[in-house]
Amino acid sequence: MLPTPNTSHVDIDKVYDPSEDSYLLLDALGAEEETAFLKKRFQVGHAPLVVEVGTGSGVALAFVHANARAILGRNDGLCLGTDINAYACRAACQTIKANEPAPFSSSSRDGDATESLARAEAGLFLGCVNADLASPLPKKIVDVLIFNPPYVPSESVPLLFESKTNDSACEVGEESLSNSYIRNMHLQALATDGGEHGMEVTDRLLKQIPEVLSKRGVAYVLLCARNRPVEVKERIWRKLGVAWDVETVRTSGKWGGWEKLQIMRISRVAL
């Protein structure tokens, strides 16, 4: 079983705290049948680019990065995150760094020399981009896309804004504390509120998937029961056609009395 990244450093007032949905993604990506699928898909060719959209704490990205050889079958995977929340971008970078595999040593055959082997299992981290979904990515470049969206049904989706990290929330005073509270509530809403049927943000990302996925591209998208996953899959099949495959690769039980979660894998059929 692959280790779960440590995210104890994350400021959960500003960044989504990893929960059951996050860990279901890790279970899916680390499952034996899924790693076999990915290893076969990426056994040859250029270094795969892994992008976590809406990376939040970076827990899923750190998981793939630290275990690239075990998940992808190679340790040259390039890992990149995007998030509209600048605090999340910073937290994700910290998560990657905190969970980098420690260097280890192995003795040469004759025992006279010791070769330092650092990060032999990990991929290469490119950084996190403060951006809306996959909007900054060139076409047909992403090999593995990971998305744990804001999926909770809500009256509306919070407006996007530039979440600067050099705020004055540390200043003492009623106004600064009030502004800090409002900002934090907005950041939390950005991470959870999905609008009608919880699908408004996810639908925007689904439209981007055919544009950004490479010829061998695979996308992992989390849905909950109230997102109407059966209807979502039917819509994807109707729009993308027979050249694409859509299937559920992981499910969870109920959370909070109603929230049955699942991981949907979307991939191009022909490589």
Side-chain angles (χ1 to χ4, degrees):
M1 186 174 182
L2 300 175
T4 300
N6 176 17
T7 58
S8 60
H9 56 278
V10 174
D11 184 349
I12 61 174
D13 288 333
K14 300 183 180 73
V15 179
Y16 183 70
D17 188 19
S19 191
E20 181 182 356
D21 46 8
S22 311
Y23 301 126
L24 185 65
L25 262 173
L26 304 195
D27 287 344
L29 292 166
E32 183 177 351
E33 60 272 20
E34 211 55 37
T35 59
F37 172 86
L38 292 171
K39 288 175 182 178
K40 181 179 180 181
R41 205 166 182 92
F42 300 114
Q43 61 184 338
V44 296
H46 63 265
L49 174 62
V50 180
V51 178
E52 184 180 15
V53 174
T55 188
S57 67
V59 65
L61 191 64
F63 182 74
V64 176
H65 169 259
N67 302 289
R69 187 182 294 278
I71 294 173
L72 302 172
R74 49 198 296 177
N75 67 345
D76 61 349
L78 307 174
C79 298
L80 175 73
T82 75
D83 205 295
I84 194 63
N85 178 354
Y87 294 99
C89 291
R90 185 168 63 183
C93 290
Q94 293 171 341
T95 300
I96 296 287
K97 184 176 180 180
N99 293 278
E100 283 253 343
F104 64 95
S105 298
S106 67
S107 298
S108 63
R109 182 176 299 178
D110 59 11
D112 293 334
T114 300
E115 178 185 8
S116 178
L117 302 174
R119 300 172 55 256
E121 300 300 313
L124 303 171
F125 179 53
L126 300 179
C128 288
V129 181
N130 186 197
D132 178 29
L133 300 179
S135 58
L137 302 175
K139 292 183 178 180
K140 304 295 187 287
I141 194 173
V142 180
D143 295 301
V144 180
L145 186 148
I146 303 167
F147 189 42
N148 182 2
Y151 58 81
V152 178
S154 59
E155 292 184 2
S156 62
V157 173
L159 295 175
L160 305 180
F161 72 107
E162 185 180 0
S163 53
K164 297 180 180 179
T165 58
N166 59 340
D167 64 338
S168 59
C170 58
E171 296 178 3
V172 177
E174 291 183 6
E175 183 175 358
S176 64
L177 290 175
S178 175
N179 289 341
S180 176
Y181 175 78
I182 293 171
R183 177 209 58 208
N184 291 350
M185 291 296 292
H186 188 78
L187 291 172
Q188 290 294 336
L190 280 172
T192 59
D193 293 1
E196 186 176 5
H197 303 308
M199 282 298 298
E200 291 185 33
V201 180
T202 302
D203 280 338
R204 290 178 53 224
L205 188 279
L206 291 177
K207 291 179 181 178
Q208 295 177 335
I209 282 179
E211 299 175 2
V212 300
L213 281 191
S214 68
K215 291 182 179 180
R216 57 182 183 170
V218 182
Y220 293 92
V221 180
L222 184 139
L223 299 172
C224 78
R226 294 207 289 181
N227 298 151
R228 302 179 178 180
V230 173
E231 294 180 17
V232 172
K233 291 175 192 174
E234 290 175 351
R235 277 195 286 118
I236 294 173
W237 277 319
R238 286 197 302 268
K239 182 175 181 179
L240 299 183
V242 295
W244 292 78
D245 183 50
V246 184
E247 64 177 290
T248 298
V249 295
R250 211 70 170 179
T251 61
S252 78
K254 292 183 178 180
W255 177 40
W258 59 270
E259 194 169 359
K260 190 176 180 68
L261 306 172
Q262 64 174 264
I263 307 299
M264 177 175 61
R265 185 181 72 200
I266 306 169
S267 58
R268 295 184 187 270
V269 173
L271 294 180

